[in-house]
Amino acid sequence: MQHGGVKGTPTSSSSRSGTPHYRLHFHWRRERDPKMKTTVIIKKNRDFTRMYRRARSQTGQLLVTYCAKNRLGHNRIGITASKRVGNAVRRNRAKRVIRAAYTGLEGQLPQGYDFIFVARSRTAHCKMQPVQEMMLRQITALCEAPKRETETP
């Protein structure tokens, strides 16, 4: 990380000596690590519905994972949590746990896939580590699974 600069702004209150207090604002620039994998967030409803219809899936007690190849050369992820998970606080926590688990696995995953992760009700109550383990198992099973071929006589 590089130090980008410091901006000082005087506050309205001053000390007893009459000199103003300064708040320091640090601006940090992060240089991109070439080893880091790029991941794009899936936001469009049509992408989610396409994944639900056409992608392969694995289910577990903590997570449902949908996986399909894309032709982009980088991964895309989408995270959903329905109202069955709980109120807004629990849904947001479940999504945070899933996002953290994916970030920890990002370097180990193959590139060129779309992933949709659907939170289950237990996801909001558990730590990141079991979610990460289940996510890795499901993704490896989905990415290594051969495509089903229809037999012709």
Side-chain angles (χ1 to χ4, degrees), residues 8-121:
T9 57
T11 60
S12 60
S13 64
S14 61
S15 66
R16 294 179 190 213
S17 65
T19 59
H21 290 262
Y22 283 89
R23 262 186 270 167
L24 297 178
H25 303 284
F26 293 99
H27 298 280
W28 298 95
R29 285 187 222 136
R30 276 196 347 189
E31 293 182 14
R32 180 137 168 76
D33 186 9
K35 296 177 194 170
M36 288 282 294
K37 306 287 183 176
T38 57
T39 299
V40 178
I41 306 296
I42 297 175
K43 295 180 182 176
K44 301 228 181 245
N45 188 24
R46 67 174 180 241
D47 292 334
F48 279 92
T49 54
R50 179 182 59 86
M51 289 286 290
Y52 291 141
R53 284 191 201 130
R54 297 183 184 168
R56 292 184 296 225
S57 65
Q58 283 273 326
T59 60
Q61 292 180 345
L62 300 173
L63 191 66
V64 178
T65 303
Y66 293 87
C67 176
K69 278 192 175 185
N70 63 27
R71 297 178 185 162
L72 302 174
H74 60 268
N75 288 344
R76 298 190 309 165
I77 66 163
I79 302 171
T80 61
S82 69
K83 286 193 173 185
R84 296 171 80 186
V85 173
N87 61 7
V89 175
R90 288 193 179 150
R91 289 195 305 268
N92 286 332
R93 185 187 189 302
K95 290 191 282 187
R96 243 185 354 259
V97 167
I98 292 171
R99 198 175 304 116
Y102 178 82
T103 304
L105 292 175
E106 192 172 12
Q108 304 172 29
L109 301 178
Q111 292 295 300
Y113 285 92
D114 288 345
F115 299 108
I116 300 287
F117 301 108
V118 181
R120 293 280 181 103
S121 58

Side-chain angles (χ1 to χ4, degrees), residues 122-145:
R122 291 185 181 187
T123 310
H125 301 290
C126 70
K127 302 271 184 187
M128 181 199 69
Q129 191 65 33
V131 174
Q132 196 172 31
E133 292 168 2
M134 180 166 285
M135 185 181 289
L136 183 61
R137 269 187 309 216
Q138 289 177 348
I139 289 175
T140 53
L142 288 170
C143 292
E144 293 175 359

